């Protein structure tokens, strides 16, 4: 009986220039933790001696590692240190699976605001930004932590700073985990504030607290519950409907018919986290089927691979998705999520 031939790993060397000890230390991390993280995630062996790196493993993974090392070394020009979270986000941004197949994800479509530039991470985020810039009505659907709302707010800030729109409207249905507004203390503003806090946080980061508050006072930025949209026509505005999975079918129709000339609308939500009363269907769920064939709309579907929070968040999302898939299979496969690759209009 003949033995199976051993697979000899592919080995290559690369030299990072310039030979800067500070930048090399930042790249490798304390006790080479960043290199160990790359080894674990990419399934390769990596050894550094000064600015010379030896990489061994499956050929395509080795080539992917070379590309990532070169990109990360460029980042050390602007960053004094690089930690594990930064490396994780960079791996997500680069699209590990694409790199394994020698396809490098387009990392363009940077959203620029006065305070900072926001770079989309990965193919779906890049496509999402491009769609928002080129379509009047856009849907971003996927799990928590994929940047749906954050990127939409960034595009809104960019649009108002470049005078493409005259105002920003941030809208949310006031439904959360079965709670009713009437049970909460305070007046209406105090009741709805907790529901809108993620939108405020993103605005503060991109525009600053003082400027955001000034724009709110002047009604250039309006943050409101969905019920307040009835009867209005919204022209020359950038409108974001967040947590849209908690709209009813009637509310979704009402919102979409408010959009006027010169406006851009972004509807975001996670159809696996619906908090409507039992038996009430989600407006986001239904609208994805109703409007799927209408030209001029864009649909971007995010998956757990697009999660840019703590690495455990991605694993948690995947675990829940697996459980939901098993339940759907047991019930005959009804209610399955749309194809995650369908990210264009």
């Amino acid at each position: 009986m003949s033995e199976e031939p051993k697979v000899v790993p592919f080995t290559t060397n690369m030299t990072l220039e310039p030979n800067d000890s500070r930048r090399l230390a930042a790249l490798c991390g304390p006790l080479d933790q960043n290199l160990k993280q790359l080894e674990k995630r990419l399934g390769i062996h990596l050894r550094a001696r000064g600015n010379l790196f030896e990489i061994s493993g499956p050929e395509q993974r080795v080539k992917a590692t070379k590309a990532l090392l070169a990109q990360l070394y460029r980042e050390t020009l602007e960053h004094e240190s690089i930690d594990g979270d930064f490396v994780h986000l960079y791996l997500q941004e680069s699209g590990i699976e694409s790199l394994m197949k020698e396809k490098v994800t387009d990392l363009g479509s940077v959203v620029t605001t006065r305070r900072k530039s926001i770079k989309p991470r990965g193919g779906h985020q890049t496509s999402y930004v491009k769609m928002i810039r080129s379509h009047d009505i856009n849907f971003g659907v996927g799990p928590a932590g994929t940047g749906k709302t954050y990127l939409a707010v960034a595009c809104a800030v960019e649009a108002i700073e470049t005078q493409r729109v005259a105002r920003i409207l941030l809208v949310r249905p006031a439904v959360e985990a079965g709670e009713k507004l009437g049970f909460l203390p305070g007046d209406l503003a105090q009741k709805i504030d907790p529901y809108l806090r993620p939108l405020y946080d993103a605005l503060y980061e991109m525009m600053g607290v003082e400027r955001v508050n000034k724009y709110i006072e002047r009604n250039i930025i309006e943050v409101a519950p969905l019920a307040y949209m009835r009867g209005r026509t919204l022209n020359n505005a950038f409108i974001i409907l967040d947590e849209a999975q908690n709209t009813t079918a009637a509310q979704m129709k009402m919102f979409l018919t408010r959009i006027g000339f010169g406006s851009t609308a972004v509807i975001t939500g996670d159809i696996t986290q619906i908090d409507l009363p039992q038996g009430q269907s989600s407006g986001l769920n239904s609208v994805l089927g109703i409007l799927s064939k209408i030209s001029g709309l864009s649909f971007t579907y995010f998956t757990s691979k697009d999660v840019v929070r703590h690495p455990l968040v991605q694993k948690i999302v995947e675990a829940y998705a697996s459980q939901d898939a098993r339940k759907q299979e047991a019930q005959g496969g009804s209610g399955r999520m749309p194809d995650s690759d369908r990210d264009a209009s």
Side-chain angles (χ1 to χ4, degrees):
M1 183 175 177
S2 60
E3 294 184 2
E4 292 185 6
K6 293 182 179 179
V7 178
V8 179
F10 178 79
T11 301
T12 189
N13 295 323
M14 71 177 298
T15 303
L16 293 176
E17 297 291 351
N19 188 355
D20 184 318
S21 58
R22 198 260 330 152
R23 291 178 59 191
L24 289 166
L27 173 67
C28 297
L31 302 175
D32 290 342
Q33 287 299 318
N34 294 342
L35 301 186
K36 292 174 183 176
Q37 186 173 353
L38 289 175
E39 285 183 320
K40 183 177 179 181
R41 292 288 297 275
L42 295 171
I44 49 88
H45 180 69
L46 186 57
R47 187 169 63 181
R49 184 179 296 169
N51 67 331
L52 177 65
F53 290 77
E54 181 185 89
I55 313 164
S56 61
E59 184 172 358
Q60 290 180 351
R61 292 172 181 257
V62 168
K63 291 179 178 179
T65 304
K66 287 183 68 174
L68 282 166
L69 281 174
Q71 292 172 15
L72 283 168
Y73 195 56
R74 283 195 290 271
E75 291 290 336
T76 60
L77 279 170
E78 300 178 4
H79 297 85
E80 287 293 321
S81 63
I82 292 178
D83 59 16
D85 287 343
F86 187 97
V87 174
H88 167 71
L89 292 176
Y90 219 90
L91 287 166
Q92 296 295 99
E93 172 185 303
S94 301
I96 297 173
E97 288 78 11
S98 296
L99 282 170
M100 300 300 188
K101 298 174 183 177
E102 301 181 279
K103 296 176 183 177
V104 180
T105 306
D106 175 17
L107 301 179
S109 300
V110 174
V111 183
T112 304
T113 67
R114 291 182 189 175
R115 286 176 67 94
K116 65 183 299 184
S117 294
I118 298 94
K119 182 164 58 175
R121 300 183 180 278
H124 285 147
Q125 286 198 3
T126 299
S127 175
Y128 184 51
V129 169
K130 289 180 178 178
M131 292 297 176
I132 290 173
R133 286 172 169 168
S134 59
H135 293 73
D136 292 338
I137 299 178
N138 308 270
F139 291 85
V141 183
T146 52
K148 306 181 301 294
T149 302
Y150 186 80
L151 285 174
V153 173
C155 289
V157 173
E158 181 184 60
I160 201 164
E161 289 184 346
T162 55
Q163 299 182 339
R164 295 202 303 272
V165 297
R167 56 198 305 237
I168 296 173
L169 280 91
L170 306 175
V171 184
R172 260 190 158 192
V175 178
E176 292 285 342
E179 295 287 347
K180 303 290 186 182
L181 283 177
F183 291 104
L184 297 176
D187 58 23
L188 180 61
Q190 292 170 325
K191 288 175 188 289
I192 65 172
D193 189 70
Y195 299 99
L196 305 171
R197 181 53 51 189
L199 300 173
Y200 282 117
D201 289 343
L203 283 173
Y204 290 154
E205 182 178 336
M206 296 170 202
M207 300 180 74
V209 176
E210 185 176 341
R211 189 156 156 248
V212 169
N213 291 337
K214 180 180 178 181
Y215 276 20
I216 290 174
E217 288 175 6
R218 295 168 57 187
N219 217 31
I220 296 173
I221 294 176
E222 181 179 350
V223 189
L226 178 60
Y228 278 38
M229 295 298 103
R230 190 172 297 278
R232 302 178 63 178
T233 301
L234 306 172
N235 295 316
N236 300 312
F238 197 111
I239 314 141
I240 299 171
L241 173 58
D242 193 30
E243 299 290 343
Q245 76 275 5
N246 289 328
T247 62
T248 64
Q251 287 174 331
M252 179 62 75
K253 179 181 177 182
M254 178 271 291
F255 173 79
L256 291 173
T257 54
R258 300 305 94 203
I259 297 162
F261 293 104
S263 290
T264 297
V266 182
I267 298 96
T268 69
D270 177 2
I271 58 177
T272 68
Q273 296 193 44
I274 297 171
D275 298 312
L276 292 168
Q278 191 171 3
Q280 195 166 38
S281 61
S282 166
L284 178 61
N285 233 341
S286 60
V287 81
L288 293 175
I290 294 170
L291 303 183
S292 61
K293 295 183 180 179
I294 296 182
S295 60
L297 308 181
S298 83
F299 299 86
T300 304
Y301 295 97
F302 297 91
T303 71
S304 59
K305 293 183 175 62
D306 299 305
V307 172
V308 291
R309 293 181 183 169
H310 191 285
L312 283 175
V313 175
Q314 180 178 336
K315 294 179 182 179
I316 291 168
V317 169
E318 290 173 345
Y320 274 99
S322 296
Q323 183 188 45
D324 291 341
R326 288 193 296 271
K327 286 182 179 178
Q328 290 173 6
E329 187 176 347
Q331 296 170 2
S334 60
R336 189 168 293 174
M337 275 187 69
D339 184 358
S340 63
D341 289 329
R342 185 175 155 209
D343 56 2
S345 62

